[in-house]
């Protein structure tokens, strides 16, 4: 049973809800139904959420599969924790500016690093 991955999936779900709430509030306040209505602030909020949705599901799937296939618990904790920190950094950074930011850059870099490390660990564990 992948209990560590379950914890990180739950924590990422809380983060997902935290990213959805500002979108809903903005839509309601500005009476925007579908899309972004040409509102650049709403467009950025939608993009922050979309980026999360583009990266996190595969990462959590890999994390659970790695745990189920015997990756050391410390490694699962490290990968899951780093992913969560990376996604928070990215969300904060991109929420503040569409350009360069420390959080956006390092959040992206850490996310990609975690994905790469998990992919390599998966290949290593899958080989006979």
């Amino acid at each position: 049973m992948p209990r560590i991955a379950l914890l990180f999936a739950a924590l990422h779900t809380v983060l997902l809800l935290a990213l959805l709430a500002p979108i809903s509030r903005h839509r309601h306040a500005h009476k925007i139904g579908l899309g972004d209505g040409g509102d650049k602030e709403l467009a950025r909020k939608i993009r922050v959420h979309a980026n999360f949705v583009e990266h996190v599901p595969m990462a959590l799937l890999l994390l659970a599969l790695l745990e189920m296939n015997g990756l050391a618990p410390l490694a699962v904790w490290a990968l899951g924790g780093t992913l969560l920190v990376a996604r928070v950094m990215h969300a904060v950074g991109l929420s503040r500016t569409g350009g360069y930011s420390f959080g956006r850059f390092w959040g992206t870099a850490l996310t990609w690093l975690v994905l790469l490390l998990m992919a390599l660990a998966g290949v290593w564990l899958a080989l006979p």
Side-chain angles (χ1 to χ4, degrees), residues 2-127:
R3 296 179 62 95
I4 301 168
L6 174 60
L7 172 64
F8 282 111
L11 293 172
H12 279 87
T13 300
V14 172
L15 179 53
L16 175 68
L17 292 170
L19 297 177
L20 284 168
I23 296 169
S24 293
R25 283 194 306 269
H26 195 104
R27 285 185 185 285
H28 180 73
H30 295 87
K31 310 250 187 291
I32 301 170
L34 294 176
D36 60 27
D39 184 314
K40 290 186 185 247
E41 186 180 343
L42 179 57
R44 184 167 44 241
K45 290 174 183 179
I46 292 169
R47 191 65 220 130
V48 170
H49 170 260
N51 190 279
F52 183 93
V53 172
E54 290 165 1
H55 291 86
V56 172
M58 179 58 73
L60 291 175
L61 174 63
L62 272 169
L63 190 67
L65 290 170
L66 289 169
E67 185 177 1
M68 290 169 56
N69 281 280
L71 188 66
L74 182 60
V76 178
W77 278 104
L79 292 165
T82 303
L83 179 67
L84 184 60
V85 168
R87 297 321 304 164
V88 169
M89 288 175 66
H90 184 272
V92 170
L94 185 54
S95 292
R96 292 184 177 159
T97 178
Y100 174 85
S101 72
F102 177 88
R104 185 177 182 194
F105 176 83
W106 286 106
T108 299
L110 285 173
T111 297
W112 289 6
L113 177 62
V114 168
L115 285 168
L116 176 62
L117 291 173
M118 289 194 299
L120 292 172
V123 169
W124 177 68
L125 287 172
L127 292 177

